[in-house]
Amino acid sequence: MTARPDTPRSRRDRPAKPALTREGIVAAAVAVLRAEGLAKVTMRRLAQELDTGPASLYVYVRNTAELHAAVLDELLGTVGAAPAPEEGDWRARLEGVLTAYVRMLHAHPSLARSALTARPSGPHYLNLIETLLALLDEGGVPPERAAWGVDLLLQHATATAAEHSARGTATTGQRDTGSDTDTDSDADWDALTRALHGARDTTHPHIAALAGPLLSGAPEERLTWGIRAVISGIAHTPVPGSD
């Protein structure tokens, strides 16, 4: 007598699940991010994806904030290191690294906003910091200024990515569409544009005179200008107590 097709299989007959690892959890989180967005990257969603219980994940990742930071670190591996120190101008290569960082963030708008407060500490983040410090050192920036300056450079790049992600305008010319948040952000930007152009010279003379320049420039042009301004400031501003 043959077994019925719907006869439950013994647990012993089922294929063994792969052992949980931090690397596997992060890889699953990145896959969920790409498919569904950062809001879905939760312990409960990953537990479902990995066919386990949420409590099992906490052995490898303390909380959702650490998970999001680990996802950010994983994606930083796609940014790449700067060219060898002897190849090209150090400022241009520094701009290139930071622009690649912004583009990576803008490919994942929710991650760009989260990155403003995320604190990654993985190998890819360390590689990024090392690359930035090496380029600043190549440019003759004193070590103390470089150490503080890296924070400013990443803050500027991250804030730029978050701003344009919220606005739905990428440095690459792409738009992030399909959510109420994006629609609201576009409406807010349109309202600001009207307000600036409608400013009266009797009450806001400087805005009235500079409404055009305040809104001018492509996002990538403004990003590059901002990076150059920050680099110049880092190079010429002493750290308190160092000089």
Side-chain angles (χ1 to χ4, degrees), residues 142-149 152 233-234 236-243:
E144 297 84 1
R145 299 181 196 179
W148 284 30
L152 285 179
I234 293 168
H236 295 97
T237 307
V239 170
S242 64
D243 293 334

Side-chain angles (χ1 to χ4, degrees), residues 29-30 45 47 73 79 92 109 116 131 139 147 173 240:
V30 170
R45 177 68 182 85
D73 182 78
V79 171
L116 288 169
T131 296

Side-chain angles (χ1 to χ4, degrees), residues 28-30 32-34 37-43 45-46 64 67-68 71:
V30 170
V32 172
L33 168 71
R34 295 186 189 279
L38 190 67
K40 296 295 185 180
V41 182
T42 64
M43 294 298 195
R45 177 68 182 85
L46 287 184
T64 302
L67 178 62
H68 289 180
V71 168

Side-chain angles (χ1 to χ4, degrees), residues 5 13-14 18 21 38 53 58 76 84 91 95 115 123 137-138 141 155 164 168 182 190 198 200-201 223 232 240:
D13 296 333
R14 297 176 187 173
T21 63
L38 190 67
Y58 288 101
L76 284 174
R91 290 175 181 265
E95 291 173 21
D137 180 59
E138 182 184 337
V141 177
Q155 282 180 13
H164 291 300
D182 299 325
D190 291 341
R200 299 170 58 186
D201 58 6
L223 171 64
S232 295

Side-chain angles (χ1 to χ4, degrees), residues 57-101:
L57 303 183
Y58 288 101
V59 176
Y60 304 91
V61 184
R62 287 179 302 171
N63 49 44
T64 302
E66 182 178 320
L67 178 62
H68 289 180
V71 168
L72 174 58
D73 182 78
E74 186 68 18
L75 291 174
L76 284 174
T78 66
V79 171
E86 65 274 8
E87 297 178 7
D89 176 73
W90 69 275
R91 290 175 181 265
R93 284 180 286 127
L94 185 52
E95 291 173 21
V97 172
L98 291 169
T99 299
Y101 169 71

